[in-house]
Amino acid sequence: MMNNDKKWIGDLLGGPLMSKESRVIAELMLSDPDENNWQQQIVEQNILQASSSNTAKRYATTIRLRLMMLDKGAWRLIAEGSERERVQLLFIALILHSPIVKDFLDETVNDLRRQFKEKLPNDSWSEFVTNHIRQYPVLTSYSDSSITKMGNNLVKALAEVGYLDTPRRRNLQPLFLLPETKEVLQRLGQQDLISILEGKR
């Protein structure tokens, strides 16, 4: 079935997990700000310490859209929990907002691990895109540089959460979900993701 819907890609262009910024945004979201308060915190107070107000607004919008995929309990863990809890929950927010990430993890990363491969090849993202263009013609609406940037963000996110040792070396590593992470997935009715995230399927 052909799918020309940008929802599959979500906002992968917006950046990788952005853990430090996401902690700040989760804290702000927990205070339930109105639009004025939101703008004041992001632009005037520059709570993200961004280089410009446009950058601040862009990051804040991307992170808020991703965090909206989770619930308040998850926001609290992102704001107050350990770095490991935070990045696992941010990765879940990313795959719920950009399902293309889940498919890449399932079809490429987990497949390599099943074959006992040690590295994620440099061309794995471009190969994945080529293989999905017929099913998702929406990919053709992005420029080559945008597709490359999405791939870079995805690789960085995989390294941040722990599937890869670094974005450059790309050595594959096993990932075990924390009990808190599994609990959030169950609350969200997304327990099917556990086997994909742990590469057991």
Side-chain angles (χ1 to χ4, degrees):
M1 181 179 121
M2 288 214 318
N3 190 325
N4 222 350
D5 189 348
K6 288 196 169 179
K7 279 195 188 128
W8 183 57
I9 291 169
D11 189 13
L12 188 49
L13 271 172
L17 300 187
M18 302 181 280
S19 168
K20 187 165 63 85
E21 294 85 351
S22 296
R23 188 179 67 73
V24 174
I25 294 293
E27 215 164 76
L28 178 57
M29 285 170 71
L30 283 165
S31 73
D32 206 14
D34 61 22
E35 204 46 46
N36 276 344
N37 196 302
W38 176 269
Q39 292 300 336
Q40 191 193 7
Q41 292 286 324
I42 300 300
V43 179
E44 289 165 40
Q45 307 279 330
N46 192 16
I47 57 171
L48 294 180
Q49 298 173 342
S51 53
S52 73
S53 57
N54 279 344
T55 304
K57 284 195 271 196
R58 198 172 68 244
Y59 282 177
T61 302
T62 295
I63 293 166
R64 176 157 65 168
L65 286 170
R66 290 178 186 174
L67 294 188
M68 293 299 284
M69 309 306 289
L70 306 174
D71 60 11
K72 274 196 164 170
W75 300 351
R76 194 159 283 112
L77 280 171
I78 289 166
E80 298 163 10
S82 68
E83 178 65 11
R84 203 158 149 237
E85 284 168 345
R86 186 178 313 130
V87 291
Q88 287 195 2
L89 292 172
L90 292 175
F91 190 73
I92 285 162
L94 174 66
I95 65 177
L96 292 176
H97 193 253
S98 298
I100 188 172
V101 176
K102 172 181 74 82
D103 290 347
F104 183 80
L105 178 66
D106 196 23
E107 296 165 26
T108 302
V109 177
N110 288 348
D111 198 47
L112 287 165
R113 281 167 50 185
R114 274 192 289 273
Q115 297 172 49
F116 301 103
K117 296 279 197 288
E118 289 179 5
K119 275 183 185 288
L120 179 70
N122 284 332
D123 63 353
S124 55
W125 170 248
S126 53
E127 200 176 284
F128 175 85
V129 169
T130 305
N131 290 342
H132 286 76
I133 270 177
R134 283 185 62 177
Q135 190 186 355
Y136 293 99
V138 67
L139 287 163
T140 59
S141 66
Y142 292 91
S143 66
D144 289 350
S145 62
S146 289
I147 294 284
T148 302
K149 188 177 177 193
M150 282 182 213
N152 292 341
N153 285 340
L154 175 48
V155 166
K156 279 182 195 152
L158 289 169
E160 282 174 292
V161 75
Y163 288 106
L164 305 174
D165 62 342
T166 70
R168 183 162 291 200
R169 285 203 299 264
R170 296 167 173 240
N171 290 317
L172 291 161
Q173 305 182 137
L175 184 96
F176 303 101
L177 294 179
L178 296 165
E180 295 82 355
T181 308
K182 290 184 180 176
E183 205 177 289
V184 170
L185 284 166
Q186 273 155 349
R187 273 205 317 267
L188 297 172
Q190 298 284 355
Q191 51 270 51
D192 295 2
L193 285 176
I194 294 173
S195 55
I196 295 174
L197 287 159
E198 292 194 326
K200 290 178 178 162
R201 175 192 118 161

